[in-house]
Amino acid sequence: MTNFIKPDKFTDQTAIAADERRDHYDICNEQILEMEIVPDILFVGDSITCNWVVDLYLGKWGYLVNRGIGGDNTLYINKRADGDVFQLKPKRVVYMAGTNDLMAIHPDFWWNIAGRDADEVIENTLLNIEEFAKRCKDTALYLCSVIPSKLPVPYDKDAYNKAIVKLNKGIEDICKKYGAIYVDYHSHMCSSDGLTVKDGLTHEGVHPNCKGYQVMADVLEKYLEI
């Protein structure tokens, strides 16, 4: 095969989440390219995307490809985007990431490392998302909000959810700047406090259950129909 892009693994020492499914996705990408099949929608993101069996909810929209990786963040999505997104030339890309980036605002109690400044983390995350958006000029891009959560102790759930709101505003601004579509999951999954996720939509306050994914699918379909 000519010009088949296989991203190198990012480390052979410390575990990097983006390496977790590297071999599997390379094998899958090779088959898509050899068969000359164009994905109708490609989903890319972290565990919230990876765990989503998108065909169950959105199968009517054609050939769907899921390139989510648990634990991944916006920096490494950019690093693997040539292989997992752009070489497949999907008609539409649904991008949802930022949850793991924002975890850096919390201190690491095990290693006694202080949390990073929230504004700095948000700024860096938005720079990564904007870099991805720049590269999607020939593809319909759907940038999704980060969903609300209910992080357990010892995490500071209030600081985290306020950072999510601020990050989502920045994602919406990127959409306006680059002509992408902003998919607002957050407001449809949020409690009346405007910060925490509604009861019954997640397994443990972070990852959606079937009901949560159904809400996301219903919201996304409205934007796909535009």
Side-chain angles (χ1 to χ4, degrees):
M1 177 184 297
T2 60
N3 300 321
F4 174 38
I5 300 171
K6 295 176 65 175
D8 291 331
K9 291 189 176 180
F10 299 111
T11 182
D12 57 4
Q13 297 176 351
T14 305
I16 297 294
D19 290 341
E20 180 184 337
R21 301 181 70 85
R22 185 70 270 137
D23 293 336
H24 173 68
Y25 283 167
D26 285 342
I27 292 169
C28 293
N29 292 343
E30 185 261 351
Q31 293 173 76
I32 293 170
L33 292 167
E34 283 284 6
M35 297 293 288
E36 298 183 347
I37 302 298
V38 176
D40 291 290
I41 307 175
L42 186 145
F43 295 76
V44 65
D46 50 38
S47 59
I48 293 174
T49 295
C50 183
N51 295 341
W52 194 0
V53 187
V54 289
D55 292 287
L56 293 179
Y57 303 83
L58 299 160
K60 73 176 186 181
W61 291 95
Y63 178 48
L64 310 182
V65 171
N66 190 323
R67 289 295 177 266
I69 295 180
D72 207 0
N73 61 29
T74 58
L75 175 63
Y76 283 96
I77 288 173
N78 283 351
K79 289 178 179 292
R80 64 185 178 90
D82 282 332
D84 285 344
V85 181
F86 298 118
Q87 73 169 335
L88 302 179
K89 297 180 171 58
K91 297 175 184 176
R92 310 192 209 197
V93 173
V94 176
Y95 177 111
M96 181 183 178
T99 296
N100 294 315
D101 300 71
L102 293 182
M103 290 300 290
I105 72 175
H106 300 293
D108 188 322
F109 297 103
W110 180 264
W111 295 105
N112 195 28
I113 298 173
R116 291 172 55 196
D117 178 73
D119 288 338
E120 177 189 349
V121 172
I122 291 167
E123 180 181 3
N124 290 337
T125 303
L126 290 173
L127 286 173
N128 292 332
I129 295 173
E130 183 169 8
E131 181 60 31
F132 188 93
K134 288 178 182 177
R135 301 182 64 191
C136 281
K137 56 187 176 182
D138 297 322
T139 305
L141 175 61
Y142 298 74
L143 291 179
C144 305
S145 69
V146 173
I147 65 174
S149 72
K150 282 186 180 176
L151 288 178
V153 175
Y155 297 109
D156 186 339
K157 66 180 180 181
D158 290 334
Y160 185 73
N161 282 319
K162 288 176 181 177
I164 287 175
V165 171
K166 191 168 185 178
L167 177 64
N168 286 340
K169 177 60 171 64
I171 294 172
E172 187 173 11
D173 290 342
I174 290 172
C175 288
K176 293 175 182 177
K177 183 175 180 179
Y178 292 95
I181 295 174
Y182 179 64
V183 180
D184 180 14
Y185 296 140
H186 189 274
S187 66
H188 291 84
M189 301 181 74
C190 215
S191 300
S192 58
D193 62 9
L195 292 173
T196 56
V197 68
K198 291 178 181 177
D199 291 337
L201 296 183
T202 67
H203 290 287
E204 77 306 46
V206 177
H207 295 90
N209 57 21
C210 184
K211 291 181 179 179
Y213 280 126
Q214 187 62 65
V215 171
M216 291 169 60
D218 292 343
V219 170
L220 179 57
E221 281 203 297
K222 294 178 182 178
Y223 293 100
L224 294 174
E225 291 167 352
I226 296 175

